[in-house]
Amino acid sequence: MTGKVCVVGSFNLDVVARVSRFPAPGESLIATGSSFGAGGKGANQALAAACAGAEVHFVTKLGTDTYSDFARRHLQASPIHSLSLLQSADQPTGNAVIYVAESTGENTVAVFPGANNTLTREEIDALLPVLNSADILLLQLENNLDALLHAIMLAKQAGLTVVLNPAPYSPAISEWLPKVDILTPNQSEASQLAGVTITDTDSAAAAARKIAALGVPQVIITLGAQGAVLYDGEQVQILPAFTAQVVDTTGAGDAFNGALVAALARGETLSRAATFAAAYASLAVERMGAASMPDYNEALQRLTESE
Ligand code: ATP
Ligand code: RIB
């Protein structure tokens, strides 16, 4: 492991409304706060991996609109080491409309992928030199699936570890699982993949075994404030969440995934990497905004304080 991670994924402009509670269907509410910011699971995870200490190459596709200028400025000013910023001539930069409930910090999200859905096989082929020098490929599901599957195939041929965060859920990925090394669904994605309702760590452990039986060797199911369950093909490990003063849980999974691959890329075991990721994500939920990522030292401090 050389600490190098390639992330192929989305950039979205996040339009966030803070609300006292989620509006009911047909209801309008006065929001208590509002912001525009950088988001997208790909961009958030690439940022988290870089802040958590990895050397990251991030591949994403933008439109030609003013939001693409915003995206460029955000990504170029970030600690992400290098970028492939592709551009769609006819689709807008992706966006997400997000409600954050003040009482709980929970969120609801509607994503319009736009340019994120126009990745081509040729654009993925051009990444071969990047893949050849990386240890880990990290992907999510906010891009067109054919391009993502092509990236997975190339990465496997190049000998990388493939980590897939299957968010948002798509049933198509069941067939991909034998090509993935580590799958990181959240509670609802894992429930849909396994065909069981996950309510706690016991049901998550059963679901993790079922998902592994579909062909993926290692599974980590994240369970929000209930922590995470790791199945390494032999044993189940429960990873409790670190205590946090929750402000906004948007991007908790992104923080977890970015920190996980950063720790794996520096050679930590899956168990240690997942524990580091849980510490890192507990800091991310204490901040507003999906792209507000803590740095490595903060996570290390939270980790050591708990030991
Ligand atoms: P989101 O879709 O909101 O970005 P997610 O559903 O993908 O997140 P979660 O399972 O909610 O991901 O959270 C990922 C990890 O973040 C959890 O496994 C846990 O370690 C940490 N985490 C999430 N919520 C909390 C919390 N309230 N307190 C402490 N840690 C948390
Ligand atoms: O995981 C959080 C992200 O999901 C947000 O930034 C939003 O863009 C959606 O993609």
Side-chain angles (χ1 to χ4, degrees):
M1 291 284 180
T2 59
K4 291 187 183 167
V5 172
C6 177
V7 182
V8 175
S10 57
F11 177 92
N12 295 328
L13 181 86
D14 286 357
V15 182
V16 183
R18 281 183 82 75
V19 286
S20 53
R21 59 174 172 79
F22 294 128
E27 183 188 20
S28 296
L29 276 184
I30 299 288
T32 55
S34 164
S35 60
F36 292 81
K41 292 186 191 302
N44 298 341
Q45 293 183 21
L47 183 61
C51 291
E55 183 177 323
V56 178
H57 185 91
F58 178 46
V59 182
T60 197
K61 195 155 179 180
L62 309 169
T64 55
D65 42 26
T66 48
Y67 299 139
S68 69
D69 299 333
F70 171 82
R72 259 171 219 287
R73 283 197 301 273
H74 163 77
L75 293 169
Q76 283 165 352
S78 80
I80 297 170
H81 187 259
S82 55
L83 298 162
S84 295
L85 297 181
L86 307 164
Q87 216 162 18
S88 165
D90 51 15
Q91 285 294 313
T93 302
N95 65 66
V97 177
I98 302 176
Y99 289 122
V100 178
E102 284 193 323
S103 48
T104 60
E106 284 179 315
N107 62 77
T108 60
V109 184
V111 178
F112 178 67
N116 294 307
N117 260 352
T118 67
L119 276 175
T120 65
R121 288 173 75 96
E122 292 70 28
E123 286 165 340
I124 299 295
D125 284 336
L127 297 175
L128 199 53
V130 172
L131 292 176
N132 277 332
S133 74
D135 304 307
I136 298 176
L137 174 67
L138 172 64
L139 317 96
Q140 317 74 33
L141 299 179
E142 284 188 337
N143 300 92
N144 45 310
L145 298 186
D146 56 327
L148 295 178
L149 181 57
H150 191 53
I152 289 174
M153 302 301 273
L154 283 190
K156 288 313 292 174
Q157 281 165 21
L160 278 73
T161 297
V162 173
V163 180
L164 176 63
N165 174 226
Y169 174 71
S170 164
I173 60 125
S174 297
E175 287 171 22
W176 301 9
L177 297 185
K179 301 172 187 79
V180 171
D181 296 291
I182 304 170
L183 193 78
T184 60
N186 71 4
Q187 184 167 347
S188 83
E189 293 141 11
S191 295
Q192 291 175 86
L193 259 173
V196 301
T197 304
I198 298 173
T199 52
D200 53 17
T201 50
D202 283 348
S203 48
R209 288 180 191 276
K210 279 188 114 175
I211 293 168
L214 298 172
V216 58
Q218 296 169 315
V219 181
I220 301 174
I221 301 178
T222 62
L223 301 167
Q226 292 190 79
V229 166
L230 183 163
Y231 179 59
D232 64 4
E234 290 178 2
Q235 288 186 325
V236 167
Q237 187 185 344
I238 312 291
L239 304 163
F242 287 73
T243 304
Q245 306 300 317
V246 179
V247 172
D248 177 6
T249 62
T250 319
D254 297 335
F256 186 96
N257 279 278
L260 178 78
V261 296
L264 289 172
R266 60 177 167 263
E268 294 190 19
T269 63
L270 186 62
S271 170
R272 286 293 302 166
T275 304
F276 173 78
Y280 187 92
S282 76
L283 287 157
V285 301
E286 294 183 337
R287 300 162 177 219
M288 253 319 271
S292 308
M293 296 299 174
D295 66 28
Y296 171 78
N297 287 324
E298 289 173 274
L300 202 58
Q301 191 180 340
R302 180 149 294 183
L303 195 60
T304 46
E305 276 167 7
S306 78
E307 283 173 346

